[in-house]
Amino acid sequence: MADSGPDDPTLDRSEIGGSIRLVLLVALALVGAVVSLLLLGRDRADPWIIGLLTVLAVVGVFALFAYATGLLRFGVPDFRDELARRIVDSATDGVSIVDGLGRVLYANPRYCEIIGAASPQEARPVERLFTSDPDASEAVYRLAQGVREGKALTEEVRLAVPGHPVRWLKLAARPAGTNGRGAKAAVWTVSDLTRERERQETAFLELQHAIDYLDHAPAGFFSAAGGAIHYINATLVDWLGYDLAEFGPGGLTVADIVPGPAAALLTGMAPLPGGVRTEVLDLDLKRKNGQTLPVRIWHRVAYASDGTPGASRTLVVNRSREDNAADPARAAEVRFARFFHNSPIAIAEVDPEGQIVRANAMFARLFGGREGERRRLLDVVSETARALLEPAVTAAVRGQAPSSPVDIGLDRERSARFYFASVEDGGADREAAIVYVIETTEQRALEAQFAQSQKMQAVGQLAGGVAHDFNNVLTAIIGYSDLLLANARPTDPSFQDVMQIKQNANRAAGLVRQLLAFSRRQTLRPQVLNLGDVMSDLSMLLRRLLGETIKLEVKEERDLWPVKADLNQFEQVIVNLAVNARDAMPEGGTLSIRTANVSVEQAAQYAEAGLPAADHVLVEVADTGTGIPPAILDKIFEPFFSTKEVGKGTGLGLSTVYGIVKQTGGTLQVDSEVGKGSVFRVFLPRHVPESVELAPKAVEPEAPVKAADLTGRGTLLLVEDEEAVRAFAARALVSRGYQVLEAGSGIEALEVMGEHAGEVDLILSDVVMPEMDGPTLLKELRATHPDIKVIFMSGYAEEAFAKNLPEGADFGFLPKPFTLKQLIEAVKKSMGRSD
């Protein structure tokens, strides 16, 4: 910089070190010392003069040492201050120091250049430079205000002066402390960003041009990552019929424009760590209106070193009918690609080494990976399945494809069926065989459910048949026991023996009823129930059944929908499940019973249980017991199957639950894990009354009545193919005053009715008989005797044969086994008179 005078603003105007008062004080002290010595006299002043000179000599010596070591300087500037000044003077940014009065204490050459000052003397503070520009003035004011508050701030301003090019400046201000007099100073920095902004604007314009070129290119383009489309050009948007705004953040995905399993071709590429994978695919895109657009895609994805995929670069070429009209071969290729990738069957071509050459979209969806990866077909299945698949693959690539398919399990949950076809001339890609794969997971599940259903139905039919025969035997045993007891006194030695026979027969009848419940052939008396009220009533009984070591938790949802079920049978379901859970928790635990509504939408959560899409009410019984091993989970509902010790269970508890739930129209599901417990879910269909139904009346307690007169008069026709039952019933009815005609079958009953026309008042008929069953007999009799009264006797439920009767048929029903009293009461009630 040039020399400047005392008022040069580029000089450092800070105060010079030292004090003039101290200098005057030292001078006066020396003069006073000399005067004092003159007044003392020469003889007395000599020692003081020597001492004073000694002190001055010592001070002088120390000053010389301080000067030699650099601690003391005389009229020479500090080298460090000079270095700092040179650094600031050569800075690329303009720097100025302004005191609190707005005077420029220092300004480097770059500052003068930026503000257009001819010399440092003409440099003005930043606060006075941009008064004509409102935006710049506001920015400078904010900076000055920040300095006053002790803050360091930065602002960027744009200067547009008419007749001059636009300039961009970056202004910064920060406090610089105070001088010796306490005046505040600020350091202002001015940077010229014009060239940088011009370069940015040029780059932005070039980017805009590139995007414009890409948007209006004759080919489509999009970029996607993680299945989401981050960029798509206007050409492809126009082809698909979308609005470009729909492809912003959170807009459409690859699955939205690539229909069906074909999306897996783009999103399911196998990673190639540190590499780039490019594939050419022919497939259909989906337009917004649902129509398809055949295209050829060049799909390129770069992978990081850890295999993480980056954003794709995908080029799309339109191969629609208009573009293919002049090229039949190209049109045929488009049709083939459409058939190939839209096939619901997975298709792959393999070479002689068993490696996959090409695969369609469904194959990629089932097994992942991409064509061109050269994976072996055996690598797409589990190790267990390879042993089954390898012989078929080897034979197929040798031209001896097996004629029958190969069924294998892909994993624990999925299964598939493989078909093979050999290829004689594989062409350039060396195809040796074509593999067709059909997933059979759902089919296997349905087959398993159907097999289980068929098995349960077969067992149910067997149990029902056995129960029917047992009921005939038990009817005879109980009936003859009643005859013996009617003619014996309690003091007779044989009275107690007959009582034991009857009690055991009744016990056997209870087991038979459970078999009928499983076979869904028991008689139900359904009524509208609120399961919340039912569970409240059952809670006390369940607590007594469970004992003190098991905690009972009942969680009832409010506003439960009504269901229609037999109250007694439903209570038996809950009791059986609770007892079964109790036995699974020998060391104690928790039994939780939960009721809840399951809407149509929520029913999809229980699809694996076969729950129909309708409203249901759920009763969930969960325990913390030992759980059920998977090997026996499918057998727990079979009659007489039990894991308990001999004598501790009949094996009919869960089979009874199964039968009652099924006969009620419900669904039963069980989940169990060994060591953690089991969960039984009972779904009952929601009852929607067709008309206003009266709430069922509570059962009133029976009032004590006098002994009824069970004798009667009239002629009865007893039709029963079981001789023991027929003999007992005839003897019992005759003993009560009735005249009884007997028949062993329906045909014989018609003959008896022909011989005694007009004499028979009531017909008691079995349901299941050889030659002609009970319902058929009733149809024949009603043709000639429309008003004849009929009572059916059966070990099956009334509903099991009522559907075979004429609509509106009036008949009575007496379930087997029955006692002598029940038989007489049924006849007496049907005859409608007491004699």
Side-chain angles (χ1 to χ4, degrees):
M1 296 178 64
D3 294 338
S4 55
D7 296 329
D8 188 351
T10 63
L11 295 177
D12 187 355
R13 299 179 185 272
S14 60
E15 299 292 336
I16 300 175
S19 174
I20 190 64
R21 295 178 182 177
L22 184 59
V23 173
L24 292 176
L25 183 61
V26 173
L28 291 174
L30 290 175
V31 172
V34 172
V35 172
S36 300
L37 292 175
L38 291 176
L39 294 177
L40 290 176
R42 184 174 181 178
D43 296 334
R44 297 177 61 183
D46 287 342
W48 292 99
I49 293 174
I50 294 172
L52 179 60
L53 293 176
T54 301
V55 171
L56 293 175
V58 171
V59 172
V61 171
F62 274 105
L64 291 175
F65 274 106
Y67 179 77
T69 58
L71 297 176
L72 183 64
R73 295 185 180 183
F74 301 99
V76 179
D78 191 342
F79 173 75
R80 292 171 295 182
D81 294 340
E82 184 65 22
L83 179 61
R85 181 184 292 272
R86 290 179 181 177
I87 292 174
V88 176
D89 285 347
S90 61
T92 58
D93 296 333
V95 179
S96 67
I97 302 176
V98 182
D99 64 9
L101 300 177
R103 296 179 300 176
V104 178
L105 303 178
Y106 168 79
N108 70 346
R110 179 60 176 161
Y111 181 83
C112 297
E113 179 183 349
I114 292 175
I115 68 174
S119 64
Q121 291 83 355
E122 299 179 5
R124 292 181 297 168
V126 176
E127 294 180 76
R128 300 178 186 175
L129 291 176
F130 312 113
T131 55
S132 61
D133 192 317
D135 294 335
S137 298
E138 290 182 7
V140 172
Y141 174 77
R142 289 192 294 269
L143 293 174
Q145 188 66 24
V147 171
R148 296 186 188 98
E149 296 175 359
K151 300 178 182 179
L153 302 177
T154 302
E155 293 276 354
E156 191 172 303
V157 297
R158 180 179 182 273
L159 302 177
V161 181
H164 295 81
V166 176
R167 298 179 65 193
W168 288 88
L169 297 180
K170 180 180 180 182
L171 307 178
R174 61 181 176 83
T178 60
N179 57 14
R181 297 177 181 177
K184 294 183 178 180
V187 177
W188 289 79
T189 304
V190 182
S191 304
D192 192 347
L193 304 178
T194 303
R195 291 185 179 180
E196 181 181 351
R197 290 293 177 266
E198 288 177 350
R199 287 195 299 269
Q200 290 179 352
E201 289 183 357
T202 302
F204 179 76
L205 290 175
E206 292 176 353
L207 179 61
Q208 284 292 98
H209 291 154
I211 293 176
D212 184 66
Y213 297 149
L214 185 59
D215 271 345
H216 298 89
F221 179 85
F222 70 88
S223 177
I229 297 177
H230 298 292
Y231 173 78
I232 186 169
N233 71 343
T235 301
L236 185 55
V237 170
D238 182 62
W239 288 351
L240 298 176
Y242 282 97
D243 185 354
L244 194 60
E246 297 183 56
F247 289 87
L252 299 182
T253 64
V254 174
D256 293 326
I257 65 173
V258 183
L265 295 170
L266 303 181
T267 59
M269 296 177 65
L272 184 63
V276 178
R277 191 182 296 282
T278 304
E279 295 182 4
V280 181
L281 303 170
D282 290 309
L283 46 82
D284 287 343
L285 298 185
K286 182 172 62 177
R287 290 188 172 102
K288 185 176 182 179
N289 59 9
Q291 297 179 351
T292 58
L293 174 69
V295 297
R296 170 164 286 185
I297 288 180
W298 281 262
H299 190 61
R300 180 185 180 92
V301 180
Y303 294 87
S305 57
D306 60 352
T308 302
S312 71
R313 305 291 185 267
T314 307
L315 183 66
V316 183
V317 175
N318 190 341
R319 305 190 72 182
S320 60
R321 183 176 302 174
E322 296 80 11
D323 296 339
N324 297 332
D327 191 349
R330 185 176 179 184
E333 187 177 2
V334 170
R335 287 195 298 270
F336 169 76
R338 180 178 290 122
F339 296 151
F340 186 61
H341 288 301
N342 292 328
S343 171
I345 301 175
I347 306 174
E349 296 178 347
V350 296
D351 62 13
E353 287 75 32
Q355 293 182 331
I356 300 172
V357 177
R358 185 178 293 102
N360 71 341
M362 183 57 74
F363 193 91
R365 183 177 182 179
L366 284 180
F367 304 104
R370 307 292 320 110
E371 62 178 78
E373 292 179 35
R374 290 298 178 182
R375 292 186 304 162
R376 296 175 67 242
L377 179 63
L378 297 178
D379 293 338
V380 304
V381 298
S382 62
E383 295 183 2
T384 306
R386 290 176 189 172
L388 298 174
L389 194 61
E390 186 172 9
V393 175
T394 303
V397 298
R398 291 178 180 177
Q400 301 174 351
S403 58
S404 58
V406 179
D407 291 317
I408 64 171
L410 301 179
D411 48 41
R412 290 184 176 181
E413 298 179 355
R414 300 188 305 157
S415 60
R417 176 170 293 176
F418 286 71
Y419 295 85
F420 295 89
S422 300
V423 178
E424 295 183 0
D425 183 9
D429 291 333
R430 301 176 60 241
E431 295 95 339
I434 302 176
V435 183
Y436 303 90
V437 186
I438 300 176
E439 186 176 7
T440 58
T441 305
E442 185 176 355
Q443 179 183 347
R444 289 288 183 88
L446 291 175
E447 289 177 353
Q449 292 180 3
F450 180 74
Q452 178 69 9
S453 175
Q454 289 291 98
K455 182 179 73 172
M456 298 300 284
Q457 183 178 356
V459 175
Q461 290 178 348
L462 175 62
V466 172
H468 175 266
D469 293 338
F470 265 109
N471 275 332
N472 283 330
V473 175
L474 292 173
T475 301
I477 295 174
I478 294 173
Y480 281 110
S481 298
D482 286 339
L483 291 175
L484 290 174
L485 292 173
N487 297 321
R489 296 179 181 179
T491 56
D492 291 345
S494 61
F495 186 86
Q496 292 300 325
D497 296 337
V498 177
M499 284 294 298
Q500 285 293 329
I501 293 173
K502 183 176 180 179
Q503 289 175 3
N504 283 279
N506 288 329
R507 183 181 174 187
L511 296 176
V512 172
R513 280 193 296 272
Q514 290 180 311
L515 283 175
L516 286 173
F518 171 75
S519 62
R520 288 172 269 173
R521 296 183 179 182
Q522 64 174 340
T523 301
L524 296 181
R525 295 292 181 262
Q527 63 187 74
V528 179
L529 301 177
N530 185 315
L531 294 188
D533 297 338
V534 176
M535 295 309 307
S536 298
D537 296 339
L538 273 177
S539 296
M540 293 302 297
L541 172 62
L542 294 178
R543 285 189 171 89
R544 289 195 298 267
L545 287 174
L546 296 176
E548 298 179 355
T549 60
I550 297 176
K551 179 182 178 182
L552 175 64
E553 295 181 351
V554 180
K555 303 175 183 178
E556 301 177 13
E557 183 177 301
R558 294 183 177 180
D559 301 325
L560 283 177
W561 295 324
V563 298
K564 196 166 187 178
D566 187 304
L567 175 60
N568 295 329
Q569 299 297 335
F570 177 76
E571 290 178 343
Q572 185 178 353
V573 167
I574 302 302
V575 169
N576 285 1
L577 291 177
V579 171
N580 192 66
R582 179 199 64 187
D583 295 340
M585 296 183 287
E587 298 180 359
T590 301
L591 176 65
S592 301
I593 301 179
R594 181 175 68 93
T595 57
N597 293 328
V598 179
S599 63
V600 178
E601 295 76 15
Q602 295 172 327
Q605 302 175 8
Y606 305 98
E608 61 182 22
L611 187 65
D615 292 338
H616 289 77
V617 178
L618 165 67
V619 181
E620 184 179 87
V621 181
D623 63 67
T624 58
T626 56
I628 305 172
I632 65 173
L633 195 59
D634 294 338
K635 302 179 180 179
I636 60 175
F637 296 116
E638 296 179 6
F640 305 110
F641 178 84
S642 177
T643 58
K644 302 175 184 177
E645 299 178 6
V646 177
K648 292 189 176 181
T650 62
L652 291 173
L654 290 180
S655 63
T656 303
V657 170
Y658 177 86
I660 293 174
V661 172
K662 290 296 182 181
Q663 191 172 358
T664 308
T667 304
L668 185 63
Q669 182 192 24
V670 57
D671 289 330
S672 184
E673 186 173 351
V674 176
K676 294 187 177 181
S678 305
V679 180
F680 287 83
R681 299 184 182 93
V682 178
F683 301 91
L684 297 180
R686 175 184 182 182
H687 174 65
V688 180
E690 297 180 359
S691 59
V692 179
E693 295 184 3
L694 298 177
K697 296 182 179 180
V699 178
E700 299 178 357
E702 294 183 359
V705 295
K706 298 180 180 180
D709 180 13
L710 297 180
T711 60
R713 297 178 183 177
T715 302
L716 310 178
L717 174 59
L718 179 59
V719 186
E720 172 63 62
D721 62 321
E722 189 70 29
E723 186 176 352
V725 176
R726 188 173 70 249
F728 148 69
R731 181 177 171 184
L733 293 170
V734 169
S735 66
R736 293 302 184 270
Y738 296 100
Q739 182 180 357
V740 179
L741 304 175
E742 298 182 28
S745 66
I747 300 296
E748 187 176 345
L750 292 177
E751 295 176 355
V752 173
M753 285 294 293
E755 296 175 358
H756 300 79
E759 299 180 13
V760 178
D761 301 310
L762 175 66
I763 298 176
L764 280 85
S765 174
D766 192 11
V767 174
V768 179
M769 295 181 295
E771 298 181 352
M772 180 181 292
D773 59 8
T776 305
L777 173 62
L778 178 60
K779 293 178 183 178
E780 294 289 339
L781 291 176
R782 286 288 166 87
T784 56
H785 303 77
D787 299 327
I788 192 70
K789 298 177 180 179
V790 177
I791 296 178
F792 282 117
M793 304 175 295
S794 177
Y796 292 142
E798 179 180 339
E799 293 82 358
F801 61 89
K803 59 184 178 181
N804 297 325
L805 294 173
E807 186 176 355
D810 184 20
F811 63 91
F813 181 72
L814 182 62
K816 294 180 180 180
F818 49 80
T819 63
L820 185 149
K821 182 179 179 181
Q822 291 172 337
L823 172 63
I824 301 301
E825 287 179 343
V827 171
K828 185 83 171 181
K829 181 179 179 181
S830 182
M831 293 290 287
R833 67 174 184 268
S834 72
D835 298 328

